[in-house]
Amino acid sequence: MNSNEIINKAKLWIKAPFDQATQNEIQELLNSGSKELTDRFYKNLEFGTGGMRGTMGAGTNRINKYTLGKNTQGLSNYLLKTFSGKQPKVAIAYDCRHNSKTFAKSVADVFSANNIIVYLFEDLRATPELSYAVRALQCDAGIVLTASHNPPEYNGYKVYFNDGGQIIPPQDGEIVDEINEVQFEDINFKAREELIEIIGEEIDAKFAEEAVENAASKDTKGRDNLKIVFTSLHGTSITMVPRALELAGFTDVHIVEEQREPNGDFPTVESPNPEEPAALKMATDLADQIGADIVIGTDPDCDRLGIAVRDLDNKLVLLNGNQTFAVLVDALLKKWQEEGRINGKQFVGSTIVSTPMIQKIATSYGVNTKIGLTGFKWIAKMIREAEGKEEFIGGGEESFGFMVGDFVRDKDAVSSTLLACEIATQAKSMGSSVYAELLQLYKKHGFYKEHLISVVKKGVEGANEIQQMMSDMRNSPVTEIHGEKVNFLFDYQTSVSKNLLTGEESEIDLPKSNVLIYQTVEGTRMAARPSGTEPKIKFYFSVHRPLESIGNAKQVEELLDQKIQEIIKEFKL
C-alpha cells in the first residue's frame, strides 16, 4: 500500500461514523505527517493463533471500539446465519488491561443490538473461566478481551465457539469473510440492555469446584504442610487461584502483596510473563525469606503459569514450559493408572514445537499422544473429534500452558496450579521434591533440554524480514546442525515432510501453518515460527542425551545447554 492509499484510508476516519476523539487522533497524525500513520493503516488487524491482538489506538491496524465493533458485527452476522433456528447466546469476559472493561461493554452492546443474548461478567475474570462459562451456560460463542502477557499498550479479542475452544477452520475463515463484508458504518452499537445479563459468583463457584475435582485428589492429607508463594502479576488470577487453593485444602499460601492489585500498567515488572525469571523475582525473593516449597506466578489472563521449585541444593529454579508440561502430564497419567482408568482409549495432547519427551512419557503408560499445531485451539479440536471414542487426560505446550481434563477447553492456570501443588505435596510427603521427580523422568526417558529465542522485527520492514528468513530456510535448507546430518525438513506451510537424505516426501496431515522444523538423524530439532499475534519470529531448539544417574544431571544439563548455544551461533541468531 503506497502513501497516498494510506492517507486516503486514514481520511475516512476523520468523519462519521467515527466519534470526535477518534477523528481528532487521526487528524493530528495527518497534520504532522507522522510515520505512525503508515503502521496504523497499512493493514487490518488479523486473527492469529491467539485471536486478534495489537496495540490500542485509532486506525485499522489498532485495537479500538471500531475494529472490535467490526469484528463483533461480523461475528453476529455469522452466528445469526449459523444458528438461524434460535436466538444465539454469547458469554463475554475481560482482563485487567486498560480499556478492557469498556471494550467488553461495547462488544456486548453490538451483540445485543443484533438480538443476541449476552452473559457479561461483572468484573475481570480468568480467561479459562470464560471457556468454562461458554459450555456451562450453553452459549454459541464466547469472547474474552485480553492481550495475555503482552506489554501494557496492547489489548486483544479472542473468539471461542460453542465447545469452549477457540475458533478454528472452517469457522475462523467463515467469520473473517463475514467481518470483511462489514463496513464501519454497518456496525450496530445501539444496545438492547434487556438482552445483557451480568454474571459472576454462581459461575465462579462452579468453576472453582470443577477445577478442584479435576486437578486434585480427594485425599487432602499433607496439603496444609506445603508452603506456597503465589503471584498474580497484577492480573486476573487473583479472582480465582487463591479461592481454588483454599477450596482444595492448601492453607499455607502467601500472596505477593505488591502484585496482588490488578493493574494494566504492570508496575512492578518489565513484562508480566511468567516465562521470564525477572517477572517472578518478587515471588522467589519472598519464597526465600519464608522458606517456601513452591512458587507459582500466572500471566495477566491466567492461562499460563510459571513454576519455581527447589533443586537438589535447595535453591529455587524456574522450570521451563516443557519441564512443567512433563511433570504435570506424568502426574496425571500416574493418577489415571492408579485409578485403573487407562484402557488404551485415552490420549494426551501436545504440539509440534513442544518437547518430544511427552510422547516418551505417554507411551510408557500405554497412552497415545496427539500432536497438533501451536495453540490450544488445536487441542480443543482433538477433544471434540475424539468425543465418544477416546478420553482426553491432559495436554499442553512449551509456552507455559497446560490443560487438566476437558472441563475447560483452553490452557488453564487455575487447575494447573492445583495440580502442581498436588504433585509438590505428594513429593514432599515422600521426602522428595518436584525437581527430584523431574530428574527421575529424565533418567527414565532421557534428558531433554529445550530453548526458545524470539527475534522481534517491528513494522512493515520487520514483517518483510521475517518473511525472507522463512523463505531462505524453506528454499535453501541447511544440511547439518552441530555436525549432525539433517534428515527431515517438516514444512507445515506446504504440508510436506521431506527426507533430505533420500529425497522422499510425505504429506503432513495437519492444517497449513507457516512453521518449519529441521530434525537431525540424532534427534536434534530446530523449529522456526513467525508469531501470529506479535511482530516476532520464534526459534525453538530441542536436544537430548541419556542420563545414567541423578548425580550426573548437572553435567549433562551443562553439555546440552552448551550444545544449544553452539547451534544458535551456527544460525547466527
Side-chain angles (χ1 to χ4, degrees):
M1 187 177 287
N2 63 41
S3 57
N4 285 336
E5 288 173 318
I6 285 166
I7 288 169
N8 289 336
K9 196 174 175 184
K11 282 181 175 177
L12 296 174
W13 283 60
I14 56 172
K15 55 187 177 183
F18 302 99
D19 61 38
Q20 196 59 54
T22 298
Q23 292 181 36
N24 293 346
E25 190 176 334
I26 297 304
Q27 187 65 63
E28 280 181 28
L29 291 171
L30 284 164
N31 293 345
S32 66
S34 171
K35 285 184 178 179
E36 192 183 328
L37 196 70
T38 299
D39 192 55
R40 289 191 184 216
F41 286 98
Y42 84 95
K43 67 172 185 175
N44 298 335
L45 271 183
E46 299 167 355
F47 281 97
T49 52
M52 189 180 81
R53 198 184 299 177
T55 52
M56 290 176 276
T60 60
N61 189 31
R62 291 289 186 269
I63 295 285
N64 53 65
K65 172 183 176 181
Y66 299 99
T67 52
L68 294 177
K70 189 173 188 283
N71 284 335
T72 307
Q73 185 62 55
L75 179 56
S76 296
N77 296 344
Y78 175 81
L79 293 173
L80 292 166
K81 286 179 184 176
T82 305
F83 303 104
S84 58
K86 63 171 187 172
Q87 188 176 20
K89 296 191 291 186
V90 174
I92 301 174
Y94 57 91
D95 71 2
C96 58
R97 288 180 174 271
H98 298 303
N99 303 313
S100 282
K101 187 167 189 171
T102 305
F103 287 155
K105 179 59 170 72
S106 183
V107 167
D109 289 349
V110 175
F111 279 128
S112 69
N114 284 278
N115 197 36
I116 292 170
I117 295 167
V118 178
Y119 298 105
L120 175 63
F121 274 100
E122 63 189 0
D123 206 344
L124 75 169
R125 289 296 189 278
T127 288
E129 188 172 347
L130 183 278
S131 171
Y132 174 79
V134 168
R135 294 174 72 229
L137 296 168
Q138 298 180 311
C139 291
D140 302 294
I143 302 291
V144 61
L145 283 300
T146 178
S148 187
H149 56 269
N150 281 54
E153 64 269 21
Y154 278 75
N155 215 316
Y157 179 94
K158 280 167 122 175
V159 182
Y160 293 76
F161 210 54
N162 56 8
D163 66 329
Q166 289 182 56
I167 56 167
I168 55 167
Q171 286 103 338
D172 57 356
E174 292 165 357
I175 291 166
V176 168
D177 288 344
E178 289 288 348
I179 291 167
N180 290 339
E181 290 294 315
V182 174
Q183 302 301 313
F184 287 110
E185 53 267 28
D186 298 334
I187 305 166
N188 189 349
F189 285 110
K190 295 175 185 174
R192 291 181 58 189
E193 296 293 346
E194 71 275 12
L195 295 181
I196 301 174
E197 181 180 334
I198 304 301
I199 59 172
E201 174 55 30
E202 191 176 337
I203 291 294
D204 294 344
K206 288 178 180 176
F207 176 64
E209 286 167 14
E210 288 210 40
V212 173
E213 189 180 316
N214 277 270
S217 66
K218 290 181 171 58
D219 182 10
T220 61
K221 187 179 176 185
R223 288 183 190 164
D224 56 351
N225 192 36
L226 186 75
K227 189 168 283 192
I228 302 163
V229 166
F230 170 71
T231 176
S232 57
L233 295 177
H234 305 288
T236 62
S237 61
I238 199 68
T239 65
M240 183 51 64
V241 170
R243 176 176 183 160
L245 285 169
E246 184 180 4
L247 190 62
F250 295 101
T251 56
D252 199 357
V253 179
H254 303 260
I255 296 170
V256 179
E257 293 298 331
E258 299 93 328
Q259 297 175 329
R260 177 195 282 264
E261 195 70 29
N263 187 331
D265 287 322
F266 313 111
T268 64
V269 290
E270 194 172 318
S271 168
N273 185 353
E275 295 178 63
E276 297 170 15
L280 296 186
K281 188 174 187 312
M282 278 190 168
T284 53
D285 285 351
L286 176 59
D288 279 333
Q289 286 170 28
I290 65 174
D293 300 299
I294 187 169
V295 172
I296 292 176
T298 58
D299 66 348
D301 64 335
C302 188
D303 56 5
R304 301 174 197 239
L305 77 165
I307 299 173
V309 295
R310 299 206 173 270
D311 65 13
L312 300 184
D313 298 322
N314 206 37
K315 290 180 181 174
L316 282 170
V317 290
L318 181 64
L319 301 183
N320 67 39
N322 284 302
Q323 290 171 325
T324 299
F325 188 179
V327 169
L328 295 185
V329 84
D330 182 72
L332 272 183
L333 288 163
K334 192 178 292 180
K335 182 172 180 274
W336 278 61
Q337 186 182 64
E338 287 169 354
E339 293 169 356
R341 297 167 66 191
I342 294 177
N343 61 8
K345 293 182 179 180
Q346 288 74 33
F347 74 96
V348 298
S350 185
T351 73
I352 57 175
V353 295
S354 297
T355 177
M357 187 178 175
I358 299 304
Q359 291 155 273
K360 290 277 192 81
I361 293 170
T363 300
S364 72
Y365 287 93
V367 170
N368 181 33
T369 304
K370 296 189 179 187
I371 298 176
L373 297 175
T374 305
F376 273 71
K377 61 184 180 182
W378 301 112
I379 298 179
K381 178 177 183 277
M382 294 172 194
I383 297 169
R384 186 167 67 248
E385 291 176 345
E387 279 175 350
K389 295 173 283 188
E390 292 176 281
E391 291 179 284
F392 175 72
I393 292 176
E397 60 182 12
E398 51 70 43
S399 59
F400 288 62
F402 195 77
M403 190 191 297
V404 181
D406 63 0
F407 80 108
V408 168
R409 303 293 174 93
D410 200 1
K411 52 187 178 286
D412 172 16
V414 179
S415 57
S416 301
T417 295
L418 292 172
L419 179 58
C421 292
E422 174 94 327
I423 295 164
T425 298
Q426 291 177 3
K428 187 175 182 180
S429 69
M430 296 185 296
S432 181
S433 67
V434 173
Y435 191 79
E437 294 301 304
L438 174 63
L439 293 182
Q440 288 296 340
L441 290 176
Y442 285 150
K443 188 178 174 187
K444 184 175 181 182
H445 303 291
F447 200 135
Y448 283 78
K449 195 69 192 284
E450 281 78 27
H451 188 70
L452 167 67
I453 285 183
S454 293
V455 180
V456 176
K457 301 280 185 182
K458 291 186 177 179
V460 187
E461 289 178 8
N464 291 335
E465 278 186 67
I466 289 172
Q467 191 176 359
Q468 188 60 50
M469 290 168 86
M470 292 299 290
S471 176
D472 292 344
M473 285 185 287
R474 179 172 280 120
N475 298 319
S476 305
V478 298
T479 55
E480 280 194 3
I481 296 176
H482 202 262
E484 301 171 10
K485 286 190 183 300
V486 175
N487 59 343
F488 282 104
L489 172 59
F490 301 95
D491 187 343
Y492 293 86
Q493 184 74 38
T494 60
S495 300
V496 173
S497 165
K498 184 173 184 178
N499 187 321
L500 299 184
L501 302 179
T502 67
E504 187 180 347
E505 294 185 352
S506 57
E507 187 181 350
I508 297 172
D509 187 23
L510 285 175
K512 292 185 186 300
S513 182
N514 192 15
V515 182
L516 289 169
I517 298 180
Y518 288 114
Q519 182 173 296
T520 73
V521 175
E522 286 83 354
T524 295
R525 288 163 65 91
M526 194 286 284
R529 180 180 78 89
S531 171
T533 55
E534 299 171 81
K536 63 172 65 169
I537 180 169
K538 297 181 178 182
F539 294 92
Y540 306 79
F541 303 89
S542 178
V543 295
H544 67 94
R545 64 188 298 154
L547 178 64
E548 303 296 340
S549 73
I550 301 299
N552 290 338
K554 273 189 180 178
Q555 183 186 357
V556 169
E557 186 168 19
E558 284 170 7
L559 289 170
L560 292 173
D561 284 336
Q562 183 183 341
K563 183 175 180 178
I564 288 170
Q565 291 308 314
E566 288 167 359
I567 293 170
I568 289 168
K569 282 180 185 173
E570 273 185 37
F571 280 90
K572 297 177 181 175
L573 296 173

